[in-house]
Amino acid sequence: MARKIAIYTRISRDDEGDGLGVARQREDCERLADLRGWRVAKIYEDNDVSAYKRNVRRPEFELMLSDLDAGLVDGVIAYDLDRLARQPRDLERLIDIYDQRSRLVFATVTNDVNLSTADGRTMARVMVAFANKSSHDTSRRIKRKHLELAQQGKPNGGPAPYGWQKDGKTVDPEAARHIREAQKQILAGVRIGTIRTRWQEAGLGHPREGTKRMAHHHLEHILTNPRLCGYRTYRGEILHDDEGQPVIGEWETINTVEEWEAVCAAVAERKRKAPGQSIARKYLLSGIARCGLCHNKIRGQVNRKWKPGSKAAKFTYQCSKVNGGCGKVGRVGEPIDEFIIDLVLQEQRREAAAADIPVEARWPKEAELADTESEIAKLIKAKKAGRLSVSTLLQLLPDLERKRDELKLERARFRKEARRAESVGADIGQNFEDLPIERQQAIILHSLSAVLIHPAGRGARKFDPDLIEPVWRE
């Protein structure tokens, strides 16, 4: 009875995506199986998958080991031993199975290694060790090359990020427009999750065709990528030159440094306020409205009796004992929202019409930051010229670097608030109902710090605006 054999094929990189590399391996392995009189039971194929990288899982390799251990196949054929393993630990897992099942067979197209014998296993270990060293040497050369390219401000040669055309240097106008619009929404208070939903529906931002869902962190990276303002990164960090200045890449930019810093600050601020928590809201005044009796925050809640076409209220603002309130104030939500929206928009339009003096957009500590960066550059230059010792440099540098980083963070917050104010001002001229809930709330909070809702008494009553007290910002 012919043995049931597994064929394993693998190639590290399939740039064309046509699988021709593994197809050639499969043909040669099938030819060898015919010569040995073995029957091919299953073909396990890991295309475009590395066997050297420790954090990469090869699903077909794992399945093959499982089937081999379970006795579903009687041996393995591979084109070469390094197709199976480039990490000694993977080879040892395979050898353990051959130790347990002495009748298993093994063959490769390029050489004759028998894992069933001690000599064959020793030879296999030596071959995998040399293959591992070869991969390590190649990896080291590639990393050094990528670092050199990064220091020169050149792209890394991979697929162009979203926002640029295939050459990685020329901006894609349509993609850049979507990025800028999403950044404006973030500055106006819109959650990344809300933007992600819209991008998914429109099919935007996907690095590969056929991708249906976009991860939250992927969209966050697109909108906060240092590449947007021209900064070159290496292993996720902004690369600096010998004078401590960011390396500028050889590509067109989508943002200015000021715009990019403002967006990064807005994203970081939201993470600090609610780390790992969802801050999505369904109702306009949730978190803004307060009970007129106990002053506890009031949140909107759906009216379960409401149905389309019915006269019942769709939702209410209710002071809840569960949230620490008195539970004595509850009002229909829609008329309160309409009243506050109309009140705030009228006030903001009056302010916009009366304002004839432009707001100072320059950060007041710009000169202080420039002086600090200049001091750092002078110290580094003095060290290179031999006028300053390493110990002295390490004593003076940390305090200056800490001051520089604090000033940069302060500047980013300043620019974020300036951009947010511009974004809110631009929203006033749009249809309020068409804006996301986060942007609507940003407009409300631009003028109001809270809305006090006073009790209306028992029984059905008409809406009384005197019982809704807006608390204006000074």
Side-chain angles (χ1 to χ4, degrees):
M1 184 176 179
R3 292 179 180 273
K4 299 176 294 182
I5 299 298
I7 289 179
Y8 181 77
T9 61
R10 182 192 65 81
I11 192 170
S12 296
R13 292 190 60 178
D14 183 14
D15 294 331
E16 302 299 326
D18 49 21
L20 294 179
V22 289
R24 288 190 291 267
Q25 292 180 29
R26 182 173 64 249
E27 291 174 1
D28 291 343
C29 290
E30 288 173 340
R31 192 177 298 114
L32 178 59
D34 289 339
L35 291 174
R36 298 285 180 95
W38 297 339
R39 179 171 62 87
V40 177
K42 183 173 176 59
I43 296 174
Y44 301 84
E45 179 182 297
D46 281 320
N47 188 36
D48 200 18
V49 180
S50 171
Y52 170 71
K53 297 178 180 178
R54 289 178 173 268
N55 60 340
V56 173
R57 183 180 183 276
R58 292 183 285 161
E60 289 295 296
F61 177 75
E62 298 296 333
L63 179 60
M64 182 197 69
L65 291 182
S66 176
D67 291 347
L68 196 65
D69 189 37
L72 300 180
V73 290
D74 300 321
V76 179
I77 294 179
Y79 182 80
D80 191 272
L81 187 61
D82 67 0
R83 298 302 89 196
L84 268 171
R86 276 185 176 263
Q87 287 288 352
R89 60 178 182 173
D90 287 338
L91 176 64
E92 293 303 326
R93 294 169 64 197
L94 185 62
I95 288 176
D96 286 344
I97 296 174
Y98 273 78
D99 266 339
Q100 297 170 13
R101 300 186 61 206
S102 58
R103 296 180 60 82
L104 292 177
V105 296
F106 181 82
T108 63
V109 174
T110 57
N111 50 57
D112 191 11
V113 177
N114 187 358
L115 293 182
S116 300
T117 67
D119 290 342
R121 293 169 188 172
T122 301
M123 180 60 68
R125 289 183 175 111
V126 172
M127 294 172 66
V128 169
F130 273 99
N132 181 269
K133 183 180 185 305
S134 175
S135 294
H136 177 76
D137 293 342
T138 301
S139 175
R140 186 181 66 249
R141 290 193 296 269
I142 290 174
K143 288 178 181 177
R144 183 66 186 87
K145 177 183 177 182
H146 285 171
L147 176 59
E148 183 179 355
L149 291 174
Q151 290 170 336
Q152 296 173 358
K154 295 180 179 179
N156 58 15
Y162 183 73
W164 285 267
Q165 298 179 7
K166 289 184 178 180
D167 61 6
K169 295 183 177 181
T170 308
V171 168
D172 181 341
E174 185 67 14
R177 182 177 66 83
H178 291 301
I179 289 174
R180 293 192 189 100
E181 177 59 31
Q183 290 175 330
K184 289 180 181 178
Q185 292 178 353
I186 287 177
L187 292 171
V190 180
R191 296 181 308 116
I192 289 181
T194 302
I195 301 171
R196 181 185 61 172
T197 301
R198 293 191 172 189
W199 275 37
Q200 283 181 174
E201 293 172 352
L204 303 176
H206 301 307
R208 294 182 180 178
E209 293 183 3
T211 306
K212 294 183 179 180
R213 294 187 61 81
M214 176 185 293
H216 182 282
H217 66 84
H218 176 59
L219 179 57
E220 180 180 317
H221 176 71
I222 289 177
L223 301 179
T224 60
N225 190 351
R227 198 181 204 274
L228 293 167
C229 65
Y231 287 165
R232 182 61 164 92
T233 59
Y234 181 69
R235 295 189 176 185
E237 299 290 337
I238 297 175
L239 192 65
H240 291 77
D241 59 21
D242 293 338
E243 296 183 355
Q245 297 300 316
V247 174
I248 304 301
E250 296 179 350
W251 54 76
E252 296 177 357
T253 60
I254 294 177
N255 291 147
T256 63
V257 174
E258 292 80 5
E259 292 170 339
W260 174 77
E261 285 185 346
V263 174
C264 291
V267 172
E269 182 183 39
R270 293 177 74 85
K271 287 183 177 180
R272 285 194 300 271
K273 285 183 176 180
Q277 299 179 12
S278 173
I279 52 177
R281 285 177 176 162
K282 298 180 181 179
Y283 306 103
L284 179 65
L285 299 182
S286 286
I288 301 175
R290 289 182 176 271
C291 174
L293 295 178
C294 67
H295 297 151
N296 194 60
K297 283 187 177 181
I298 290 180
R299 303 189 183 278
Q301 59 184 38
V302 66
N303 183 0
R304 300 186 183 279
K305 296 181 180 179
W306 178 85
K307 294 180 180 180
S310 68
K311 294 183 179 180
K314 188 174 182 180
F315 71 96
T316 61
Y317 287 114
Q318 183 70 44
C319 180
S320 173
K321 291 184 178 180
V322 176
N323 295 323
C326 63
K328 297 179 180 180
V329 174
R331 303 292 300 277
V332 175
E334 288 96 329
I336 297 177
D337 282 1
E338 292 172 2
F339 171 70
I340 293 298
I341 290 171
D342 184 60
L343 200 65
V344 167
L345 291 184
Q346 286 185 22
E347 179 62 22
Q348 291 184 0
R349 290 189 184 106
R350 283 195 296 268
E351 290 180 357
D356 54 358
I357 301 175
V359 177
E360 179 60 48
R362 183 174 176 81
W363 183 50
K365 294 184 180 180
E366 197 71 60
E368 184 180 351
L369 174 58
D371 290 342
T372 305
E373 291 179 330
S374 177
E375 286 295 322
I376 293 174
K378 288 178 182 178
L379 288 176
I380 295 174
K381 190 174 182 180
K383 165 60 183 63
K384 289 185 176 182
R387 299 192 303 271
L388 197 67
S389 66
V390 175
S391 59
T392 304
L393 177 67
L394 294 180
Q395 290 177 27
L396 299 175
L397 206 54
D399 287 341
L400 286 172
E401 288 178 334
R402 192 178 302 109
K403 181 179 179 182
R404 176 200 63 191
D405 294 341
E406 290 174 355
L407 287 171
K408 281 189 173 182
L409 180 59
E410 186 178 332
R411 181 180 66 178
R413 289 170 178 163
F414 175 85
R415 288 171 174 171
K416 177 206 67 176
E417 292 302 328
R419 299 283 174 183
R420 178 170 292 177
E422 293 175 3
S423 178
V424 170
D427 286 340
I428 296 174
Q430 300 184 32
N431 186 352
F432 190 87
E433 298 297 329
D434 293 338
L435 298 175
I437 185 67
E438 297 93 344
R439 295 181 77 176
Q440 293 178 352
Q441 288 183 324
I443 291 176
I444 299 298
L445 288 171
H446 185 70
S447 297
L448 302 178
S449 58
V451 174
L452 294 178
I453 299 178
H454 297 283
R458 296 183 178 275
R461 294 174 180 268
K462 292 183 178 180
F463 175 71
D464 185 358
D466 292 337
L467 298 177
I468 310 300
E469 182 184 348
V471 181
W472 297 95
R473 292 189 181 274
E474 297 181 0

